[in-house]
Structures are given as C-alpha cells and as structure tokens.
C-alpha cells in the first residue's frame, strides 16, 4: 500500500467520535514513488493525471489521490475503499460512517477524515499567486466585503485568503462546490452556519504552519480537529507519546477560530 509505513510512523489512526483528522503532506516527499502512487488510482484518476500541463501538477495529483486511498484504507481496515463521488464531485464513503475531503495546492496536500455525514476541506498557498482584492466582490457577501474593506490595506489580502479557504471548505461540505455562488453565503469561522437546504456546520481554521492557510467545515458534533503532518517533509515537534501531531485541541462551541 502506498505510503503505509509513513502513515504508521506519523501515528495515523481512525478518527475518534467527534474528531476530524487532517493529514498534511507534500508531494515532494514522495519523489521516486510516483509510479507506485499511480498504481493506487483508478482508470479515471490516471486519465486525469495525464491531462495536466505540467509534470509537477500531475505528480501532486498522483500522490494526493494515492495517499488519500491509503489513509482511507487504514481508517476503514480494508483494502476495498468504497469511495464514490456525487454528480457535483463530492467524495462519499457509503455505509462506513465516515466522511472525507481532499485539497491540494502547489505541492502541498491535505486530507480530512471524520466520523460525520459530511466534511469539507480547503488549503491555499500563503501568499497566493494572485491578488484577491480585485476578486473580493465575487467572493464576499456585502457584509463580508464591508468588513474586509474596513481593515488596514496591508491586512486585506490575508483576510480575503482566510475567507476564501472557509468558503471553499463550506461549499465542499455542502456538496455543491462552486455551483453555489460563494458571494451568496456567509462563511464566518467558529460559529453555527445554517443555510437553507443544507446541514448546520461550523468552520474551523487549521494549524497548517507557514506557507499555507486552511479551513475545515464539519457538523457541530465535530468538536476536535487534529492535524497530523507526515513528518518526512513537514517537520513538527514530536509529542511525548511519539506522535507528530501538531494540533490537538478541543474547540468549544461558539469560540472563534476564523
């Protein structure tokens, strides 16, 4: 199984009730293993990997999807992973009691697994390749736009990037992606978010370290978010129990982690 030893060494295990587990990795950590990653993918994934313009993007895609399948296999205790996708592209694990989400940007990869009906995850490079202020009207609700514009100029890009990760995470958890206009939904962090036709969720900021911003949207019963960097490349302090968990902190309902 692809990266099984790396996952075991990092302390990966099935998430507990009320916990969302987020794996962080880098595709550059698996140079030389891309063919092994390719073998983990199904035909449609291999075909998509072949359509990337740049080899580095294809490599990240291969590692992300292979690592995703390996992590799900270990979490479920079976080589048969019933990973399917909705018409809108939302990943589903029917009959398992687990929800999952995948995000990658540049060479960075994040995978979320939770005991929940749905979960949404997004990571973005920090700083992003393009300025976001010009896109603010298409990203923000009027209230959010006013709040961002009230900030000091040098704080606006950071606020918009954090907001965008929250929007992406929320839309993934809703199962709509960008089929729903992000400028029509509020995406405040740390509070209950109830939009008509969708489950009530809460968005949590992720401890992703430098160079990234990340957010996770999950049902309200998910009150603990654990980020688990795969220590080959994402060097983090090792805790006394031998794990490389960088963030294990219960999140109290109503607290702000935006």
């Amino acid at each position: 199984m692809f990266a099984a030893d790396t996952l075991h060494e990092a302390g990966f295990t099935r998430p507990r009730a009320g916990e969302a587990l987020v794996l962080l990795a880098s595709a550059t950590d698996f140079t030389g293993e891309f063919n092994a990653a390719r073998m983990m993918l199904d035909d449609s994934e291999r075909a998509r990997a072949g359509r990337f313009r740049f080899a580095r993007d294809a490599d990240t895609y291969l590692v992300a999807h292979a690592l995703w399948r390996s992590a799900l296999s270990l979490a479920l205790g079976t080589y048969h992973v019933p990973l399917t996708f909705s018409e809108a592209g939302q990943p589903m694990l029917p009959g398992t009691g687990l929800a999952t989400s995948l995000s990658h940007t540049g060479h960075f990869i994040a995978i979320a697994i939770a005991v929940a009906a749905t979960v949404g995850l997004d990571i973005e490079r920090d700083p992003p390749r393009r300025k976001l202020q010009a896109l603010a009207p298409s990203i923000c609700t009027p209230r959010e736009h006013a709040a961002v514009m009230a900030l000091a100029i040098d704080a606006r890009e950071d606020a918009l990037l954090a907001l965008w990760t929250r929007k992406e995470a929320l839309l993934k958890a809703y199962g709509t992606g960008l089929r729903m206009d992000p400028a029509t939904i509020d995406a405040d962090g740390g509070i209950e978010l109830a939009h008509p036709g969708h489950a009530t969720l809460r968005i949590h900021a992720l401890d992703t370290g430098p160079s990234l911003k990340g957010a996770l949207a999950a049902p309200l019963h998910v009150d603990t978010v654990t980020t688990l960097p795969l220590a080959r490349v994402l060097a983090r302090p090792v805790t006394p129990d031998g794990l490389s968990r960088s963030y294990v902190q219960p999140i109290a309902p109503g607290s702000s982690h935006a």
Side-chain angles (χ1 to χ4, degrees), residues 139-200:
I139 295 173
C140 304
T141 64
R143 181 188 64 80
E144 290 169 338
H145 189 260
V148 168
M149 297 309 293
L151 297 173
I153 293 176
D154 58 1
R156 292 175 187 171
E157 285 294 315
D158 188 70
L160 283 167
L161 183 59
L163 175 62
W164 180 245
T165 65
R166 296 197 302 270
K167 295 262 181 172
E168 282 268 29
L170 188 62
L171 293 175
K172 286 183 177 182
Y174 284 162
T176 65
L178 293 177
R179 293 185 180 191
M180 179 182 288
D181 183 354
T184 65
I185 60 167
D186 289 308
D188 296 317
I191 65 171
E192 295 183 12
L193 296 171
H195 293 110
H198 298 285
T200 301

Side-chain angles (χ1 to χ4, degrees), residues 72-140:
L72 291 172
S73 180
L74 290 174
L76 293 168
T78 177
Y79 285 105
H80 175 68
V81 176
L83 181 63
T84 63
F85 297 87
S86 71
E87 183 180 343
Q90 183 182 32
M92 298 180 293
L93 295 164
T96 67
L98 296 181
T100 189
S101 187
L102 172 72
S103 182
H104 47 86
T105 180
H107 59 85
F108 292 107
I109 299 161
I111 297 165
I113 306 173
V115 181
T118 188
V119 69
L121 172 70
D122 186 57
I123 58 170
E124 301 289 344
R125 279 176 289 191
D126 186 11
R129 286 184 172 180
R130 60 187 299 187
K131 296 294 185 181
L132 297 177
Q133 285 199 53
L135 301 176
S138 62
I139 295 173
C140 304

